[in-house]
Amino acid sequence: MTPILLAITLLLGVTLCYFAACAASPFGNCRKCHGWGFEMKTDRKGRMKRGKDCRRCRATGKRIRIGRWLYNRWARIHRAGTAD
């Protein structure tokens, strides 16, 4: 196999795996709170305690994946364009 053909095959494989992940699980953990839904703080004794709710995910701990967001946007535009 030539290196270009191998690179194209690898890129296509990674893309298809990402689309499968977006279809199977459209939501991932929030990057700011790591899926907890709130920030962890320490008190003066060094013990962990619950902090404020995460503003990025609105305390759900989940975010929509980029691929799923793009698919939703495309489907909405297509639906609006083909409506009777």
Side-chain angles (χ1 to χ4, degrees):
M1 262 188 176
T2 64
I4 293 181
L5 185 61
L6 182 63
I8 291 172
T9 306
L10 184 64
L11 185 63
L12 184 63
V14 169
T15 303
L16 290 176
C17 287
Y18 182 71
F19 283 145
C22 287
S25 176
F27 297 99
N29 287 337
C30 175
R31 291 188 187 112
K32 185 173 182 182
C33 65
H34 306 289
W36 286 65
F38 51 85
E39 181 183 3
M40 292 298 291
K41 289 188 173 186
T42 56
D43 61 3
R44 293 184 347 179
K45 293 182 180 179
R47 292 180 295 198
M48 297 299 287
K49 70 179 224 177
R50 188 181 195 280
K52 294 181 179 180
D53 288 343
C54 179
R55 294 188 308 168
R56 180 181 285 178
C57 65
R58 296 186 184 104
T60 62
K62 296 296 180 185
R63 64 169 177 83
I64 193 160
R65 294 184 193 273
I66 294 171
R68 185 62 184 207
W69 182 85
L70 289 171
Y71 172 76
N72 290 348
R73 183 64 57 124
W74 174 82
R76 189 176 304 123
I77 291 170
H78 178 72
R79 206 175 308 121
T82 58
D84 290 336

